[in-house]
Amino acid sequence: MPHQRKLVSSPFRGTQIVYTLGERTDCPPAVRPFSVGSILSTYVHVLAYISPILPSGALDMQAESRSLSFNESSLLDLFGQMWRSNWAESEDCAPFDVTFQAAERREAKLEGRLNPGTFYRSYAACMTKKTKGSLMHVPQAQHLMSPLYLSSRSMGSFDYTSLQPPPAFLFRSDSGNIPAVERNAFDQDGPSGRRCPSVGEEHWANDGVVPLFSQWHPLACGETRCKHTTLSLDNPGFSDTASTVPGKFKVTNACLEEPESGIWHVHHIDSANHLSIVPFWFGTERQQTFWKDLGYWLRAIEIQRSRQENFYETRVLVPPL
């Protein structure tokens, strides 16, 4: 059975929102005192401490292995954890995993390399637009009432130069050191076939939680194989008109594309935030169109697999002349 990887607005290469919420830009996983992350950490430790007297299944922090309840630690230990948490400020937690520094470590190990027998597809949402005279972004007007409006605005003006050590993507072009012969093997209409500025507007364009460039795929475009297309949720007909997405490259609409393994198929969804498609079901026409498109793609993979199996069976069953 073929393997499939389907990701929606995933922070493959990190997200700046974790720094907005409290992660220190100069020495993660340390957390700034009195930040949102620090307050949340204190709340979690208090709940974990009194968990033995909480109703069964109520707000279970699943922290048994860390021995944080009053049955296993003292009140003094709790105060120490509230001052500086060795859980929240460790590398074994989700906030650190989505820092740019952690993503850089993974890329240095070439995590996210493509498997030629696996089908890859990611969906990248964007709720922002570029400001005049700048590469930075602000949320579009229709998202003014979105719960992600403030986080999106903060991400759209994030200062990448505050990161220490600075991530490599601030200094290298998208094509990196990939030989020209290999670059030509990629989609020439995508970013893989040209040298782009080190930091483009796709680093500030975002869906309220994840910057656009981080939603595409692991590794830079010049270090993997990728094809970028648009998914028009407002036009189920999926016309072939070209459009431009942040990143300074053109993409074209696509529907029912022939499944191709060993390459990232990145589908851009415009005017959508991190909560527009998943995890909540709103029953909107755009949401229904998304799930239909995903279903068509999975079905196409199954049809392709079935054809391949029938082909090999025919070769075995037909006797030689």
Side-chain angles (χ1 to χ4, degrees):
M1 181 176 180
H3 297 283
Q4 306 119 15
R5 295 291 183 270
K6 309 168 288 293
L7 292 308
V8 181
S9 298
S10 298
F12 294 111
R13 308 184 69 191
T15 172
Q16 58 265 51
I17 194 174
V18 71
Y19 305 103
T20 302
L21 295 177
E23 199 86 358
R24 289 185 55 171
T25 58
D26 57 341
C27 56
V31 178
R32 298 192 306 273
F34 308 111
S35 64
V36 174
S38 175
I39 296 172
L40 181 60
S41 170
T42 299
Y43 177 69
V44 169
H45 275 289
V46 171
L47 286 180
Y49 188 77
I50 63 174
S51 59
I53 61 175
L54 291 177
S56 178
L59 297 174
D60 185 3
M61 297 293 107
Q62 300 183 2
E64 292 81 3
S65 63
R66 297 182 180 272
S67 303
L68 297 176
S69 73
F70 61 73
N71 289 332
E72 302 154 308
S73 61
S74 66
L75 190 60
L76 186 61
D77 292 331
L78 172 62
F79 289 147
Q81 293 290 349
M82 292 171 64
W83 175 252
R84 183 168 184 175
S85 170
N86 60 15
W87 183 7
E89 299 193 40
S90 73
E91 296 184 0
D92 183 24
C93 63
F96 178 75
D97 286 340
V98 294
T99 62
F100 294 119
Q101 290 90 339
E104 187 119 306
R105 290 187 189 179
R106 295 192 294 269
E107 292 190 358
K109 299 176 182 178
L110 294 181
E111 291 187 19
R113 287 176 295 181
L114 294 169
N115 184 322
T118 300
F119 294 87
Y120 299 88
R121 175 181 279 207
S122 63
Y123 293 91
C126 182
M127 60 180 288
T128 61
K129 62 180 180 180
K130 188 172 70 169
T131 59
K132 290 184 179 180
S134 171
L135 294 177
M136 296 185 181
H137 273 234
V138 294
Q140 298 174 9
Q142 61 263 41
H143 297 286
L144 182 61
M145 302 305 295
S146 169
L148 300 177
Y149 180 86
L150 293 179
S151 63
S152 177
R153 193 173 187 88
S154 173
M155 294 175 64
S157 58
F158 180 75
D159 181 12
Y160 281 95
T161 62
S162 66
L163 298 174
Q164 297 296 328
F169 64 71
L170 294 179
F171 304 102
R172 68 186 176 208
S173 64
D174 197 66
S175 296
N177 297 319
I178 304 299
V181 174
E182 293 186 33
R183 290 204 303 270
N184 290 337
F186 299 141
D187 179 17
Q188 293 300 308
D189 288 333
S192 305
R194 64 180 67 178
R195 298 182 67 85
C196 300
S198 297
V199 180
E201 64 173 299
E202 66 271 19
H203 291 76
W204 287 281
N206 65 82
D207 67 352
V209 176
V210 186
L212 186 61
F213 86 101
S214 185
Q215 299 179 52
W216 291 346
H217 44 65
L219 304 173
C221 290
E223 298 171 352
T224 189
R225 298 185 67 231
C226 58
K227 183 177 181 181
H228 294 246
T229 58
T230 57
L231 177 60
S232 177
L233 299 183
D234 297 313
N235 179 18
F238 301 97
S239 64
D240 291 328
T241 55
S243 62
T244 303
V245 299
K248 296 185 178 179
F249 58 93
K250 286 187 176 181
V251 296
T252 54
N253 290 338
C255 180
L256 301 180
E257 60 188 359
E258 185 69 19
E260 182 181 5
S261 62
I263 182 173
W264 276 100
H265 289 266
V266 182
H267 285 231
H268 291 264
I269 305 175
D270 195 20
S271 298
N273 61 49
H274 197 76
L275 304 176
S276 295
I277 307 300
V278 292
F280 307 111
W281 177 252
F282 302 108
T284 63
E285 185 175 350
R286 284 168 57 88
Q287 199 171 33
Q288 293 178 42
T289 301
F290 167 82
W291 287 109
K292 287 178 182 178
D293 173 79
L294 179 59
Y296 290 148
W297 181 65
L298 294 174
R299 177 59 177 164
I301 292 176
E302 291 300 317
I303 292 175
Q304 185 182 96
R305 181 180 67 90
S306 178
R307 288 174 179 171
Q308 291 174 346
E309 290 179 350
N310 292 337
F311 172 75
Y312 289 118
E313 288 177 1
T314 302
R315 292 186 62 183
V316 172
L317 295 176
V318 174
L321 297 177

